[in-house]
Amino acid sequence: MFADRAKIFIRSGKGGDGHVSFRKELFVPCGGPDGGDGGRGGNLIFEVDEGLNTLTDFRHIHKYAAKDGESGGKRRCHGKDGESLIIKVPEGTVIKDFESGKVIADMSGENRREVILKGGRGGQGNMHFATPTMQAPKYAQPGQSAQELWVQLELKVIADVGLVGFPNVGKSTLLSRVSNAKPKIANYHFTTLNPHLGVVDLEGGKGFVMADIPGLIEGASEGVGLGHDFLRHIERTRVLVHVVDAASTEGRDPIADIHAINKELGSYNSELLKRPQIIAANKMDAIYEEDENPIEKLKAEFEPQGIKVFPISAVSGQGVKELLYAVSELLQTVNLSPIIFDKEFDLRSLVEKQLPYTVEVTEDGVYVVEGPRIEKMLGYTNIESEKGFRFFQNFLKDNGILEELEQAGIQEGDTVRMYGLEFDYYK
């Protein structure tokens, strides 16, 4: 089965902790602080690999993590930076936040490499916290936490033209005739399980990439059959070619088939119905002269809507050249810039999401502020020093904690408690 979706867990590296140490040298009984900084955590990077065309590799490995930065050492030694992790994906892969479904990045067009999660900063050693009044600080800054996220990878095939239609109408046969693609062809339903791409070269005309999009049946937009697995591949195409069995060799009505396919396309994504369309009335070699001409019916139904009908035979090649030149001309009327999905997910929110805090009021009127973000800050801040207290005040302001306290109704003189630290609130 063609793998075009995968759910994986990704994590950047944690920053290394700063180190607490003091110089110990002969005849220097009270050496100053010399704790080194921690190394930066590795980044989590996605990169396009031209040799890949499926997401099969992600079926067996579901967790990917960059290396953590090393802690700092004595004698001002800096910890080693963590190694970044590069994840290779095929072109056309869209990375989405699994929880919200929002687009994080689209690995298409000029976007060949992107840092998705940044490694945590290394913490500063105690040598940075020495002041005239605090010459021997016994604390250091811990490394910044790693960023982590469950993401959904979706491969959306990049093609100019998409062949759509019900199974067994000749899409694979047409693609194999006009391009270098070699799809498997047989006379039974759901032969094609993989989207196939082919490059169409035209004499005196501009070539284009054509894709056979399989799996479309009634109910596809609701996930029936293979619908959702392949509808996503149509989203990048600029022109849609309806391939229908004009001879009704299996008793199908080609006009009803086109309406049914358009209904599924519109239900999945209404923007798809705005794409230019052409009808390839296939299997003309199976229509006998004494039969009623189905081409005239197709033209009467769709050409008033601006959708041209081309009678063809994918087996014999009849009418195929005319169809391809019409498709080429239609492509010149649409925007030729790559269809890239815009970013919707703000990765900066991850840090705040993973380090929350709460503001609560006790029965005796004390405002309690707690949470990983607060505890982390207090772990490396010396409130007793002037520099540390100023940092503490700025932290409360910059992170919106003071504003939230005011929204909770705090007044001047009220008590605020944070992990054993109590102080009176004044503006």
Side-chain angles (χ1 to χ4, degrees):
M1 179 63 186
F2 180 77
D4 63 351
R5 277 187 305 171
K7 177 188 175 184
I8 62 172
F9 175 82
I10 57 175
R11 177 185 180 275
S12 63
K14 175 189 175 299
D17 295 335
H19 188 68
V20 176
S21 62
F22 299 90
R23 288 170 53 202
K24 293 182 180 178
E25 299 177 21
L26 192 63
F27 308 117
V28 185
C30 298
D34 70 348
D37 301 341
R40 187 178 185 89
N43 295 328
L44 197 292
I45 304 169
F46 277 79
E47 186 174 89
V48 171
D49 186 336
E50 305 290 350
L52 297 176
N53 53 22
T54 75
L55 299 176
T56 303
D57 294 344
F58 299 98
R59 283 188 167 183
H60 311 293
I61 303 176
H62 302 288
K63 294 189 176 182
Y64 297 82
K67 298 293 185 181
D68 294 339
E70 291 185 358
S71 297
K74 58 181 65 176
R75 298 180 181 176
R76 299 176 178 259
C77 288
H78 193 289
K80 183 180 178 181
D81 290 344
E83 185 178 350
S84 294
L85 178 65
I86 300 175
I87 301 177
K88 301 291 184 72
V89 293
E91 183 177 7
T93 300
V94 179
I95 306 164
K96 295 182 176 180
D97 171 46
F98 182 79
E99 186 176 334
S100 66
K102 293 183 177 180
V103 175
I104 297 172
D106 185 353
M107 306 304 293
S108 307
E110 297 180 357
N111 190 25
R112 319 304 288 178
R113 178 186 173 100
E114 183 160 347
V115 177
I116 301 300
L117 300 181
K118 291 185 177 180
R121 293 191 304 271
Q124 293 183 326
N126 69 332
M127 62 179 179
H128 293 280
F129 299 98
T131 66
T133 57
M134 176 66 68
Q135 297 182 6
K138 296 181 180 180
Y139 57 91
Q141 189 179 37
Q144 191 178 43
S145 299
Q147 296 181 355
E148 54 186 44
L149 194 64
W150 280 97
V151 297
Q152 179 86 33
L153 305 182
E154 291 185 359
L155 177 57
K156 299 178 188 286
V157 165
I158 297 177
D160 301 305
V161 179
L163 300 178
V164 296
F166 279 82
N168 208 29
V169 295
K171 299 190 300 294
S172 297
T173 304
L174 176 60
L175 184 65
S176 65
R177 169 167 284 278
V178 303
S179 73
N180 57 352
K182 303 298 179 185
K184 294 180 180 179
I185 300 170
N187 188 31
Y188 53 87
H189 291 300
F190 293 117
T191 306
T192 306
L193 295 179
N194 299 358
H196 288 287
L197 293 176
V199 178
V200 179
D201 293 319
L202 294 176
E203 292 183 10
K206 291 187 177 181
F208 52 86
V209 178
M210 180 180 282
D212 169 14
I213 310 293
L216 296 189
I217 60 174
E218 289 181 88
S221 60
E222 300 171 2
V224 176
L226 301 174
H228 274 174
D229 289 338
F230 298 109
L231 273 166
R232 66 175 55 88
H233 295 298
I234 304 175
E235 292 187 82
R236 292 195 198 271
T237 58
R238 299 183 181 86
V239 171
L240 298 178
V241 177
H242 285 275
V243 183
V244 295
D245 179 1
S248 300
T249 56
E250 297 188 356
R252 302 194 63 88
D253 179 359
I255 292 178
D257 281 359
I258 293 172
H259 285 307
I261 293 294
N262 275 339
K263 180 181 177 182
E264 296 306 322
L265 295 178
S267 297
Y268 178 74
N269 183 348
S270 60
E271 291 295 316
L272 293 176
L273 295 181
K274 299 178 182 178
R275 310 277 165 86
Q277 298 184 4
I278 282 182
I279 296 172
N282 193 25
K283 303 190 180 182
M284 292 301 299
D285 54 308
I287 297 177
Y288 299 100
E289 291 185 5
E290 60 268 19
D291 294 340
E292 187 177 5
N293 189 351
I295 302 302
E296 295 306 319
K297 286 187 175 181
L298 284 166
K299 288 185 176 181
E301 178 73 18
F302 294 103
E303 289 200 343
Q305 304 174 33
I307 304 176
K308 291 186 178 181
V309 179
F310 290 84
I312 68 165
S313 170
V315 172
S316 68
Q318 173 191 347
V320 170
K321 182 178 292 186
E322 291 80 359
L323 170 68
L324 295 181
Y325 277 101
V327 170
S328 179
E329 289 178 9
L330 195 56
L331 278 172
Q332 306 313 310
T333 66
V334 298
N335 184 7
L336 295 179
S337 60
I339 297 175
I340 307 295
F341 294 90
D342 295 331
K343 293 183 180 181
E344 303 169 329
F345 187 78
D346 187 1
L347 289 165
R348 293 176 298 180
S349 64
L350 282 180
V351 177
E352 295 185 1
K353 182 179 179 182
Q354 291 168 6
L355 292 175
Y357 67 87
T358 59
V359 175
E360 297 179 353
V361 186
T362 64
E363 293 182 358
D364 55 350
V366 176
Y367 290 78
V368 180
V369 183
E370 291 183 339
R373 199 187 321 179
I374 307 299
E375 189 173 18
K376 183 181 178 69
M377 179 272 298
L378 292 175
Y380 60 79
T381 305
N382 179 20
I383 306 297
E384 301 299 323
S385 71
E386 181 181 349
K387 180 180 177 181
F389 187 72
R390 189 165 57 251
F391 172 82
F392 172 70
Q393 288 179 310
N394 291 334
F395 177 89
L396 297 180
K397 181 180 179 181
D398 294 343
N399 286 271
I401 298 173
L402 291 181
E403 183 179 350
E404 194 158 335
L405 284 169
E406 291 174 359
Q407 290 176 356
I410 196 168
Q411 301 294 325
E412 289 197 5
D414 288 345
T415 301
V416 179
R417 182 184 302 148
M418 297 182 182
Y419 291 98
L421 173 69
E422 287 192 359
F423 62 92
D424 294 333
Y425 173 80
Y426 290 99
K427 285 190 177 182

